[in-house]
Amino acid sequence: MPRATLSLELPEQVWVSALSRQYPAAEFRVLAAMPAEETGVGLVEIAAADIEPIVTTIDGYDSVVSVTVLEAQPERALVQFETTEPLLIRSLSEAGIPLELPITIVDGEVTVELTAPRKKLSELGELLEQFGIPFDLVSITQSVDTQSLLTDEQYELLEEAIERGYYDTPRTCTLTELAEAIGRAKSTTSEKLHRAEGKVIKEFVTRDGRGLE
């Protein structure tokens, strides 16, 4: 399933965005977050050289319904909050994508990692635009669980081929040398390798969401 990394610029109407811009050297690490019926509830750890003025400012935002300081130290505070503007959580919830926590917000920006089908990621992009949240797609990768996809013999064969440089460019291990290393005939090794490669390639293309012709 695709795994995407997005860099988001949170709107200033989101209290944590405005506060992090006011204190750009501070880090706001969101440890927990969940949408309620009309609000969002979360837990944030704040780290800064002078924590007190940051914490006392939170309650002044109109979008913040409640604030509870669970722990406070000179350079760190743990705060539970409820807000009427949980835009990021709402966007992910409507797109059907879980938010992978923790996330760290600094100076109004945050990087999130999401695992979801491409269709869901596309829907999220449209929702973020609707909510006025600018974003950049930093990367997208496709994962394939080869150990559950392949038999133990196929997995070990591919692992051996990789370790010996069969897939290197230029190739540092020939098919004959690979066959000798595993104690199999060259034709048998070629057939088993082809079957294992075919499984991995087909699984990758199918999970990519484009299917096979």
Side-chain angles (χ1 to χ4, degrees):
M1 185 175 293
R3 182 171 180 80
T5 301
L6 301 180
S7 177
L8 307 170
E9 184 179 338
L10 299 177
E12 290 199 29
Q13 70 192 81
V14 178
W15 70 269
V16 70
S17 174
L19 187 58
S20 67
R21 293 172 194 274
Q22 185 177 346
Y23 297 93
E27 288 190 357
F28 298 79
R29 191 164 180 255
V30 181
L31 305 177
M34 61 179 292
E37 187 173 345
E38 296 182 354
T39 61
V41 179
L43 187 66
V44 62
E45 182 183 57
I46 306 171
D50 186 8
I51 207 74
E52 184 177 356
I54 299 177
V55 173
T56 56
T57 302
I58 298 176
D59 203 29
Y61 289 97
D62 293 337
S63 61
V64 176
V65 177
S66 65
V67 179
T68 303
V69 180
L70 303 178
E71 183 181 335
Q73 299 176 9
E75 297 183 355
R76 177 183 172 278
L78 189 62
V79 178
Q80 181 176 307
F81 63 89
E82 184 176 3
T83 176
T84 58
E85 294 289 349
L87 297 187
L88 180 57
I89 296 296
R90 190 176 297 162
S91 300
L92 292 167
S93 179
E94 290 188 18
I97 301 175
L99 176 61
E100 298 180 24
L101 297 170
I103 58 174
T104 301
I105 300 168
V106 177
D107 197 15
E109 296 185 355
V110 61
T111 297
V112 297
E113 294 187 347
L114 308 167
T115 302
R118 287 182 180 270
K119 183 178 179 181
K120 292 287 187 182
L121 292 173
S122 297
E123 291 175 3
L124 174 62
E126 295 174 0
L127 287 168
L128 290 174
E129 291 179 357
Q130 290 177 19
F131 284 122
I133 303 178
F135 69 93
D136 290 318
L137 179 61
V138 178
S139 66
I140 185 165
T141 57
Q142 180 76 31
S143 62
V144 175
D145 185 0
T146 53
Q147 286 186 300
S148 63
L149 175 67
L150 305 172
T151 65
D152 289 343
E153 184 181 30
Q154 289 173 328
Y155 183 84
E156 289 170 3
L157 176 58
L158 284 180
E159 191 174 43
E160 186 75 23
I162 291 169
E163 289 179 356
R164 291 185 175 275
Y166 182 76
Y167 294 108
D168 289 354
T169 304
R171 182 172 289 175
T172 57
C173 174
T174 65
L175 180 61
T176 300
E177 292 169 336
L178 179 61
E180 291 176 352
I182 64 172
R184 297 272 188 174
K186 181 179 178 181
S187 58
T188 302
T189 302
S190 176
E191 180 183 354
K192 290 183 178 295
L193 201 59
H194 181 72
R195 289 181 182 276
E197 292 168 343
K199 282 187 177 182
V200 173
I201 292 170
K202 288 178 181 178
E203 179 71 5
F204 181 89
V205 173
T206 301
R207 289 195 180 194
D208 191 46
R210 301 171 199 175
L212 295 171
E213 296 293 329

